[in-house]
Amino acid sequence: MTDETVVVGEFSHETNTFAARPTDRAAFADRREYVGAALLDALRGTNTTVGGVVDAAEDRDLDLVASVAAAATPGGIVTADAYDFYVEEILSTVRSNAADLDGVVLSLHGAMVPEDGTDGEGPLLSAVREAVGPDVPVVATLDLHANVTDEMVAAADALVAFETYPHVDTAETGRRATELLVDLLRDDRELSMRIERPPMLPYGPLQNTRSGPMAEVMATARRFEGRDGVAKVNVFPGFHKADVPAMGCSVVSVADDASAAEWAARDLAAELWEMREAFVGEFPDPHDAVGRALRSEAVADPEAGPVVLADSGDNPGGGGTGDETAILRELVDRGATNAGMALLADPEAVAACLDAGVGERVTVSLGGRADGSFTPPIGDVDGYVAAITDGEFRNTGPMATGTENHLGRTVLFRCGREDGVSVVLTEKRIQPLDAEIWRHVGVAPERLDVIAVKSNNHYRASYEPFASEIITVNSPGVAAFDPHQYDYRRIDRPVFPLDEMAADDYPDWY
Ligand SMILES: [Zn+2]
């Protein structure tokens, strides 16, 4: 078997165009930035798309040339400086290997918005296509939350998305993409893609692929695959916190010929559209949700696991500031005991706690300070500095297993009395989707009665095994799941459930 030369790279960001703070190079360095061959060693064996590509390439004797792997926590528009830098890293690797290049596989998100445009990945893929010419296959992985553009579909040979939310199949997705690339290289397979866009916005918590309507849609997608030359049916419920023309739901099919791609995309889009009402729901506000948690039988039962409150409106994984205080305020005001909050990104509070020192009492103001916060600080909280860490730990749960987290200087702050609400105070923003964040500050999360987590759905992978109950909270913040909250100017209308939909607004395939 010949060793084909394949360039691998990652440039991933989910951009919340409503978030106040732009995403610059420092934000990528904070989360993940590996350049050149270092990325192979750093990500091999981790549950990341690049990790899956590396493992599959070694199994299939591909000669990988590493470009760059860069990912930042979701946030505001990507600065021109950061966008140009990482695009140029990838293009320069492609160009300098052009003479004997056989393929390209890129790990992208699909909802990146650069400062100077509305689509990060389409122009990147077009530039790669231009550099390699029409005959070298280009395959890209996308997050399930991509807002897919026609340009992405036109420029790539195949797009391969996560099938799960929580995204526990990231390495598997990298592997699938690499296997498709091998088919294109060694079996002279040619692929057609087709995109259809049901005009609907499935609410974030209802995009959970583990149960409910999304689980049904995904099961249908899996049934279509393998039938009639259909290689892949990608379902994208969309990332709604982006005011760009392609924002919304789409289905992208990949098949051996155009007619197979067409029926697969249309049939699945029709199923989604048929189910549109099931993707809209009501969820309690922080006051009602915290009341329900504290009244739960699980709280009175020392054997029961915690009630988990999902602070979805302030999910840093959707661009949230990570310092919204609505749920924490409810917990503190009601005198919750043996409760926890992961996390609160508040460098000023961290500094005050570090000045006081571990084991000391201190009075601090908590949260509500970041640019664009929806909620005010909780002032004058008297509490105890229970632990101080460097904020470094690796995920041990099912998502992004083995990858590093960098929280900056981190404090476990206990509000009020000894058994008051424990807050993981951090300098940096991440989505605390892995319960290891608790263990790294010396807390066994299983033994808390109530845990609030700044996450929309990803926390389920790590927390569901020990939670007694889960409550999704419609909490305030720039990551809130209800699309009615956002003042869109550039998206396609009409769209369900924002607009009244008349029969002649329905898609032509319906
Ligand atoms: Zn996602």
Side-chain angles (χ1 to χ4, degrees), residues 439-458:
R439 298 183 194 103
H440 113 280
V441 291
V443 173
E446 303 82 359
R447 297 172 71 164
L448 293 170
D449 290 328
V450 177
I451 303 181
V453 183
K454 290 192 184 290
S455 177
N456 177 57
N457 193 60
H458 282 327

Side-chain angles (χ1 to χ4, degrees), residues 197 199 243-247 489-495 498-499:
R197 294 188 165 88
D243 190 15
V244 293
M247 190 282 277
R489 305 292 170 88
R490 299 193 284 194
I491 67 169
D492 254 7
R493 308 291 282 258
V495 65
L498 295 181
D499 302 308

Side-chain angles (χ1 to χ4, degrees), residues 13 27 50 105 172 181 203 245 299 328 400 450 468:
H13 191 248
V50 173
V105 56
E172 193 53 42
L181 182 70
Y203 279 19
V299 167
L328 179 60
V450 177
S468 60

Side-chain angles (χ1 to χ4, degrees), residues 14 109 143 145 167 458:
E14 182 179 75
H109 185 287
D143 191 280
H145 295 105
H167 306 328
H458 282 327

Side-chain angles (χ1 to χ4, degrees), residues 125-139:
L125 285 165
S126 293
V128 169
R129 170 60 66 209
E130 198 182 313
V132 301
D135 300 327
V136 172
V138 177
V139 175

